[in-house]
Amino acid sequence: AQSVTQPDIHITVSEGASLELRCNYSYGATPYLFWYVQSPGQGLQLLLKYFSGDTLVQGIKGFEAEFKRSQSSFNLRKPSVHWSDAAEYFCAVGASFDFAGSARQLTFGSGTQLTVLP
Amino acid sequence: EADIYQTPRYLVIGTGKKITLECSQTMGHDKMYWYQQDPGMELHLIHYSYGVNSTEKGDLSSESTVSRIRTEHFPLTLESARPSHTSQYLCASSEPAQGARGAPEAFFGQGTRLTVV
């Protein structure tokens, strides 16, 4: 069974500082990996996803993530954090898709709450 | 902007009441999901559907039920709400896998925050 671990429950950074959110996964095959962001009172928005190919993935809002198979990690990074980035961030792993239409997908981590100081 | 909508956004009800949480999407997606999210906890899949008249229970046991009579509509019902049902419920839908295009994106509604008193 797949699983996702986000070791940091809460991270606080100053505006303009760099950011790295950690994500480790457990999956028996090549995973599909996702980062979602959830602002207060809002649904989840996809930041980026990894399927195959280049292990450094660029996403929206200036975020990027790097897939490291040897470390089973998919850490999210941003060089300079903005106050509007304060939110909760979820890493998720998806099972391989079969074209018969398996609906099961997306196991989520417990989330990392990001606070941005002015 | 994702076209998936959940109503109500917030609901406070008394124990024993029957409630239905609505979820609709206008993207024509066959796959739809319900997740339950408690504060500070991960999202747990409680129901999913891969098309009309198809529903399955997810990883987390739930006393709720779902139906999928139309592609765009995936309501979740609690026959008799209890305080233990207090949580946030997130609905999602996704497009089918597109082969070399990679993993499909799941679109989420804004959630329904349910409080049972």
Side-chain angles (χ1 to χ4, degrees), chain B residues 2-93:
Chain B
D3 296 317
I4 179 164
Y5 307 100
Q6 289 184 243
T7 56
R9 292 286 308 278
Y10 302 92
L11 180 62
V12 181
I13 60 165
T15 298
K17 299 292 186 183
K18 177 181 178 179
I19 60 166
T20 296
L21 308 185
E22 302 288 350
C23 176
S24 297
Q25 51 96 4
T26 59
M27 296 171 282
H29 291 167
D30 287 326
K31 298 179 183 179
M32 295 189 74
Y33 317 84
W34 276 102
Y35 289 87
Q36 186 174 339
Q37 181 188 24
D38 293 321
M41 304 294 288
E42 60 262 48
L43 279 76
H44 290 290
L45 181 69
I46 52 174
H47 297 285
Y48 64 96
S49 166
Y50 37 84
V52 171
N53 294 326
S54 158
T55 62
E56 299 287 344
K57 289 192 176 294
D59 302 316
L60 180 68
S61 175
S62 174
E63 293 168 345
S64 59
T65 60
V66 292
S67 63
R68 190 86 184 276
I69 299 172
R70 304 198 315 267
T71 298
E72 62 270 22
H73 197 211
F74 191 42
L76 180 146
T77 299
L78 279 165
E79 291 293 333
S80 180
R82 295 206 302 270
S84 60
H85 296 140
T86 295
S87 188
Q88 174 157 259
Y89 294 84
L90 285 166
C91 180
S93 71

Side-chain angles (χ1 to χ4, degrees), chain A residues 6-38:
Chain A
Q6 292 180 247
D8 304 306
I9 297 173
H10 196 171
I11 284 183
T12 300
V13 298
S14 297
E15 190 168 17
S18 63
L19 172 70
E20 182 170 33
L21 302 183
R22 295 184 291 166
C23 173
N24 294 97
Y25 68 90
S26 172
Y27 187 61
T30 299
Y32 300 105
L33 293 160
F34 307 79
W35 273 101
Y36 282 85
V37 61
Q38 184 179 33

Side-chain angles (χ1 to χ4, degrees), chain A residues 32 34 36 38 41-44 46 49-51 88 90 97-99 101-111, chain B residues 9 31 33 35 37 40-43 48-50 57-59 88 90 94 97 99-100 102-106 108-110:
Chain A
Y32 300 105
F34 307 79
Y36 282 85
Q38 184 179 33
Q42 302 297 312
L44 292 162
L46 181 69
K49 62 185 179 183
Y50 171 78
F51 168 63
E88 191 160 21
F90 290 89
F97 295 95
D98 63 74
F99 294 95
S102 170
R104 296 182 67 84
Q105 66 177 96
L106 295 187
T107 297
F108 285 84
S110 56
Chain B
R9 292 286 308 278
K31 298 179 183 179
Y33 317 84
Y35 289 87
Q37 181 188 24
M41 304 294 288
E42 60 262 48
L43 279 76
Y48 64 96
S49 166
Y50 37 84
K57 289 192 176 294
D59 302 316
Q88 174 157 259
L90 285 166
S94 70
E105 176 180 349
F108 285 82
Q110 292 184 303

